[in-house]
């Protein structure tokens, strides 16, 4: 088990290093560089820009800038925002709860509904339900997330008036019910695509388990289909889904970026777009690394959980 953990940890560290190098180089190669926003100020002279470059260390070679940034990152100094001078970690922390709330609720919805659809589709193979689930999954995967969001706003906010069109809460009303009311539509929109993905994978995994010899043996012993399904099939079919849950996190983060923009949700996705538009590079790099660490950590946890449950993976 120790060798397995060390192997996964070393792979995660290498991946984070690659992400940091690529992200840092790409951001610095963008026309205008980190000082692009300052260059738009008509009162800013070339001498002022040169002084800023010297103060921020941007006049040094790129590799020296990266090493300095990476060393400070390891020490916990993620830099300061160009907009208000606030520490990057504080800026991210102000938006982290909103993103985790949206991602957590949409993930729970996707797993619950997707698992049920996948299992029912596998146990009722080629039925009307199975065909409808397949068509629904293809539609959900083919249509962009922002289109579902705009459609939801038009139908449930503008036409029916059932749900708010955006924001995280109503100003002056900080009750839990008000937060939940605002959370319903963006979490469902974000979950739609992942319900489709989860249901397809769950259907395939369930069919694979149903065809195994131990399931045929259980039927031969006279066990009911419900008992076979609950005791032997579902648990084994969910095993690869744990890994899938970790692998789906990047797409959830990407979907959250679009969903937060459509519903003006004050999360990290909206912060990323705002910071990118302002050329606030310290915040952009901070969000990139924070998201990468989150993805790597969740995949690492998923691998560990699977290895604990299934010794075959750990021993291999």
């Amino acid at each position: 088990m120790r060798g397995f953990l060390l192997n996964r940890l070393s792979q995660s560290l290498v991946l984070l290093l690659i992400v940091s190098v690529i992200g840092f180089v790409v951001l610095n190669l963008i026309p205008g560089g980190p000082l692009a926003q300052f260059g738009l100020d008509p009162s800013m002279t070339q001498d002022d820009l040169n002084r800023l470059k010297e103060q921020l260390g941007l006049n040094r070679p790129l590799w020296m800038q990266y090493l300095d940034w990476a060393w400070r990152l390891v020490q916990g100094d993620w830099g300061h925002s160009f907009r208000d001078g606030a520490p990057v970690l504080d800026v991210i922390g102000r938006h982290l709860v909103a993103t985790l709330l949206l991602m957590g609720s949409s993930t729970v919805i996707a797993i619950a509904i997707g698992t049920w659809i996948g299992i029912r589709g596998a146990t009722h193979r080629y039925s009307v339900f199975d065909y409808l689930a397949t068509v629904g999954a293809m539609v959900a995967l083919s249509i962009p997330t922002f289109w579902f969001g705009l459609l939801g706003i038009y139908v449930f906010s503008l036409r029916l008036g059932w749900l708010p069109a955006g924001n995280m809460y109503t100003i002056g009303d900080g009750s839990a019910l008000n937060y939940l009311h605002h959370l319903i539509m963006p979490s469902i929109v974000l979950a739609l695509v992942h319900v489709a993905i989860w249901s397809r994978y769950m259907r395939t995994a369930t069919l694979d388990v149903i065809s195994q010899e131990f399931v045929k043996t259980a039927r031969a012993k006279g066990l009911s289909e419900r008992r076979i399904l609950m005791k032997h099939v579902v648990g084994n079919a969910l095993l690869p889904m744990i890994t899938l849950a970790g692998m789906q996190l990047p797409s959830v983060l990407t979907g959250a970026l679009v969903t937060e923009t459509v519903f003006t949700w004050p999360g990290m996705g909206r912060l990323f777009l705002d910071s990118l538009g302002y050329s606030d590079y310290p915040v952009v790099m901070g969000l990139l690394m924070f998201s990468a660490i989150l993805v790597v950590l969740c995949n690492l946890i998923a691998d560990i959980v699977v290895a604990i449950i299934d010794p075959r993976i750990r021993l291999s």
Side-chain angles (χ1 to χ4, degrees):
M1 186 66 176
R2 181 180 298 177
F4 174 82
L5 292 176
L6 290 175
N7 183 39
R8 286 292 187 269
L9 185 60
S10 61
Q11 291 177 3
S12 301
L13 292 176
V14 171
L15 179 59
L16 288 176
L17 177 63
I18 294 173
V19 169
S20 67
V21 171
I22 294 176
F24 192 88
V25 171
V26 169
L27 281 179
N28 281 273
L29 289 179
I30 293 177
L35 299 181
Q37 196 66 28
F38 294 98
L40 298 177
D41 187 351
S43 63
M44 186 73 67
T45 64
Q46 186 61 43
D47 291 336
D48 295 330
L49 289 175
N50 291 334
R51 278 194 296 271
L52 273 175
K53 284 184 178 180
E54 187 174 355
Q55 291 174 4
L56 298 174
L58 300 177
N59 56 345
R60 297 175 298 172
L62 189 59
W63 66 269
M64 291 184 63
Q65 295 181 42
Y66 171 78
L67 290 178
D68 180 60
W69 170 82
W71 177 246
R72 288 188 287 108
L73 184 77
V74 173
Q75 293 178 315
D77 180 9
W78 289 40
H80 293 77
S81 171
F82 286 164
R83 278 194 282 187
D84 54 10
V88 170
L89 284 178
D90 291 349
V91 175
I92 295 176
R94 291 198 295 263
H95 297 79
L96 177 61
V97 175
T99 293
L100 292 180
L101 183 63
L102 179 59
M103 288 176 54
S105 58
S106 65
T107 301
V108 170
I109 293 172
I111 290 176
I113 299 179
T115 299
W116 177 77
I117 292 175
I119 293 174
R120 183 171 177 81
T123 54
H124 296 75
R125 196 177 183 185
Y126 304 132
S127 64
V128 174
F129 177 87
D130 190 28
Y131 284 119
L132 289 176
T134 301
V135 172
M138 293 302 103
V139 171
L141 291 171
S142 302
I143 299 178
T145 303
F146 75 86
W147 190 88
F148 283 120
L150 295 176
L151 180 63
I153 291 174
Y154 176 75
V155 175
F156 297 105
S157 297
L158 299 180
R159 302 294 296 181
L160 300 176
W162 291 354
L163 297 170
N167 294 318
M168 190 174 176
Y169 59 90
T170 303
I171 297 176
D173 186 358
S175 64
L177 187 62
N178 184 256
Y179 276 92
L180 180 62
H181 195 214
H182 284 77
L183 181 64
I184 293 174
M185 189 153 55
S187 60
I188 291 177
V189 168
L190 181 57
L192 280 175
V193 173
H194 300 95
V195 167
I197 297 173
W198 194 272
S199 65
R200 294 294 88 195
Y201 274 102
M202 192 64 196
R203 179 183 182 274
T204 302
T206 304
L207 287 173
D208 182 62
V209 175
I210 289 176
S211 64
Q212 298 297 318
E213 292 297 328
F214 66 87
V215 175
K216 297 176 182 178
T217 303
R219 287 200 182 101
K221 289 181 178 180
L223 295 179
S224 65
E225 288 296 322
R226 181 178 179 82
R227 183 175 176 81
I228 294 173
L229 181 66
M230 299 306 296
K231 188 174 181 180
H232 299 285
V233 175
V234 174
N236 287 282
L238 282 174
L239 190 60
M241 297 297 103
I242 298 174
T243 304
L244 177 65
M247 294 172 59
Q248 284 296 305
L249 185 59
S251 62
V252 175
L253 281 170
T254 305
L257 188 149
V258 177
T259 306
E260 288 175 3
T261 303
V262 172
F263 291 98
T264 60
W265 190 265
M268 294 196 306
R270 190 178 173 195
L271 174 65
F272 180 83
L273 289 179
D274 291 344
S275 300
L276 198 59
Y278 192 82
S279 298
D280 194 351
Y281 284 20
V283 175
V284 172
M285 277 303 301
L287 286 168
L288 178 64
M289 291 307 301
F290 190 88
S291 301
I293 292 172
L294 187 63
V295 170
V296 167
L297 185 61
C298 288
N299 276 280
L300 184 61
I301 293 174
D303 288 340
I304 293 173
V305 171
V306 172
I308 292 173
I309 296 175
D310 191 350
R312 294 173 300 176
I313 298 176
R314 180 173 68 250
L315 295 175
S316 63

